[in-house]
Amino acid sequence: MSATGSARGALAATAVACGVSVAGIYYAQPLLPALAAAFGTSPAAAAVVVTAGQLGYTAGLLLVVPLGDGRDRRRLATALLLLAAPAAALAALAPALWVLAVAVVLLGLAGTAAQVLVALTATGAGPGRRGRAVGTVMGGLTAGILLARVVSGALAEAAGWRAVYAAAAVLLAGTALLVHRALPRPAPPPAAAAAPVRYRSLLAGALLLLLREPALRLRCAHGFLAFAAFSAFWTSCAFLLAAPPFGFGEAAIGLFGLAGLAGVVFAQPAGRLCDRGYARRASSGSTALMAVSFAVLALGRGSLVALAAGAVLLDLGLRGVQTANQQQIYARLPTAAHSRVTTAYMTCYFAGGATGSVLSADLYGHAGWSGVCLLGAALAGAPLVPRILKIITARSAGATTFRPTEPATRAAPAEPEEAP
């Protein structure tokens, strides 16, 4: 995208569309008690709706997002948003819990329009602006995740849970129109590249890229660990806030999630650092920030201020890691493979989130909040270990100083791949 006002408007529209599309996965989280009451089931059974959204999103990452490397990404994102609108309407009218679960599976699958748009943004932005552009749309995606919980809870309290999905259907249809009109049409492919890529090849391409590209594997591992640490905190945070001395209800717990909005602000500065050739430094600094945040969070067992401060630091670090990772993998791999790169990276990223949630929930019951914080610090800080060992080895070998391999300035990032 160029630096014109039209391009900035298209980037803003893309950020909004990312947030709206992914929000459908998270509407159900604060609604579980209302859903259990409405369908006469237990809260645990109602939680299948949340799982359904995650399964649909994973399926979309694996089966739909790779299509962006063989199709017009703008049209693909519009089609997914148009699919999401009737899925949300079906959820609003669901006569049974299983119908609602099916509708939310479709919402999760269609929510991968966000990842199609991230790949579209990375491809359209020039090398000197890619980090900022990706940071902007990832900020929109983050805002959508956070605000979905807050808005869902408030609207359900005012008008019932069905109103949440009815409003989402209208919003998704409007967003599809926004994407169709605001995003520029892509340039036609060269004659040599005009032949469509077979779907089977696109699906296999993500795995092949992961096997062939060490840089992609490294960034996927880093993303896995970072999101695992993040999810470990947020999964057990609800248990902590519901217990003494806090004793929060569901609405207050949902509002606490607004602390994560700080990460939306940090995505832009992290992107600028990446564009100036400091992606590895941005990644290392953000990783260290995540690890340190768990020391602050450990104090939050009896202090809401410490808990909120730690949550802000954790989210700032995650957004920096995410922006640096994506800027690096998109810069290193060809634009024709950006959708498959997105599939590989985001699948590992969400697998890390699921792993962190499971480990945290189990550990909280055995070791309490201190155990969760130790787990989070270990996961977040693990990517720093190779770099720390390299510094120690260099000094032990008699090196007077340790100099990073990157020069002070660089027009385009071409950093040697080493952790983190």
Side-chain angles (χ1 to χ4, degrees):
M1 294 181 185
S2 69
T4 64
S6 176
R8 287 194 295 269
L11 188 60
T14 303
V16 170
C18 283
V20 171
S21 62
V22 80
I25 307 170
Y26 298 94
Y27 288 137
Q29 288 186 345
L31 303 180
L32 294 181
L35 295 177
F39 294 110
T41 187
S42 67
V48 72
V49 178
V50 176
T51 304
Q54 296 289 354
L55 290 175
Y57 197 77
T58 302
L61 284 172
L62 294 172
L63 303 176
V64 178
V65 173
L67 282 171
D69 287 337
R71 305 291 188 273
D72 178 348
R73 292 187 180 112
R74 170 177 161 273
R75 293 182 63 183
L76 178 58
T78 302
L80 287 169
L81 288 165
L82 288 174
L83 168 65
L90 176 62
L93 300 171
L97 185 64
W98 72 267
V99 177
L100 178 60
V102 170
V104 174
V105 166
L106 294 175
L107 273 175
L109 187 147
T112 53
Q115 300 305 328
V116 174
L117 291 170
V118 169
L120 174 63
T121 301
T123 301
R129 297 188 68 252
R130 183 174 286 120
R132 280 171 286 177
V134 171
T136 297
V137 297
M138 288 303 298
L141 188 149
T142 302
I145 293 172
L146 295 170
L147 293 175
R149 301 184 180 104
V150 178
V151 173
S152 175
L155 186 57
E157 185 173 344
W161 69 266
R162 294 184 186 274
V164 174
Y165 290 104
V170 176
L171 184 59
L172 286 162
T175 303
L177 181 62
L178 175 67
V179 168
H180 179 72
R181 291 191 172 181
L183 271 61
R185 296 179 182 274
V197 183
R198 296 180 64 182
Y199 180 58
R200 183 182 301 176
S201 299
L202 290 172
L203 292 184
L207 178 59
L208 291 176
L209 281 171
L210 196 58
L211 293 174
R212 294 174 181 173
E213 299 290 341
L216 179 59
R217 290 198 301 272
L218 179 62
R219 296 297 165 181
C220 285
H222 194 180
F224 177 98
L225 290 167
F227 200 46
F230 183 81
S231 297
F233 163 70
W234 283 107
T235 297
S236 293
C237 181
F239 302 142
L240 179 70
L241 290 174
F246 304 114
F248 283 2
E250 294 173 356
I253 291 173
L255 286 172
F256 184 80
L258 289 177
L261 282 175
V264 178
V265 179
F266 189 62
Q268 277 280 356
R272 291 191 185 98
L273 277 175
C274 295
D275 289 338
R276 292 171 184 168
Y278 297 115
R280 186 156 54 82
R281 290 185 182 182
S283 178
S284 297
S286 299
T287 301
L289 186 62
M290 289 189 70
V292 169
S293 73
F294 279 97
V296 181
L297 289 169
L299 302 175
R301 180 168 46 190
S303 169
L304 187 62
V305 173
L307 196 65
V312 169
L313 293 177
L314 179 64
D315 199 72
L316 288 174
L318 179 69
R319 300 312 153 196
V321 168
Q322 178 79 327
T323 300
N325 279 348
Q326 291 187 289
Q327 193 273 353
Q328 284 288 278
I329 59 177
Y330 289 138
R332 290 176 176 276
L333 297 170
T335 58
H338 277 178
S339 288
R340 283 164 285 178
V341 166
T342 300
T343 289
Y345 179 76
M346 294 307 298
T347 299
C348 293
Y349 186 75
F350 276 92
T355 301
S357 294
V358 171
L359 291 176
S360 173
D362 184 64
L363 191 60
Y364 186 84
H366 291 87
W369 185 244
S370 297
V372 170
C373 290
L374 285 173
L375 171 67
L379 290 169
L384 291 173
V385 173
R387 187 165 177 79
I388 293 171
L389 291 177
K390 185 174 181 179
I391 294 173
I392 294 173
T393 302
R395 289 180 175 175
S396 299
T400 58
T401 59
F402 179 77
R403 298 183 180 274
T405 55
E406 56 187 4
T409 58
R410 185 166 27 233
E415 300 171 307
E417 271 301 321
E418 59 182 69

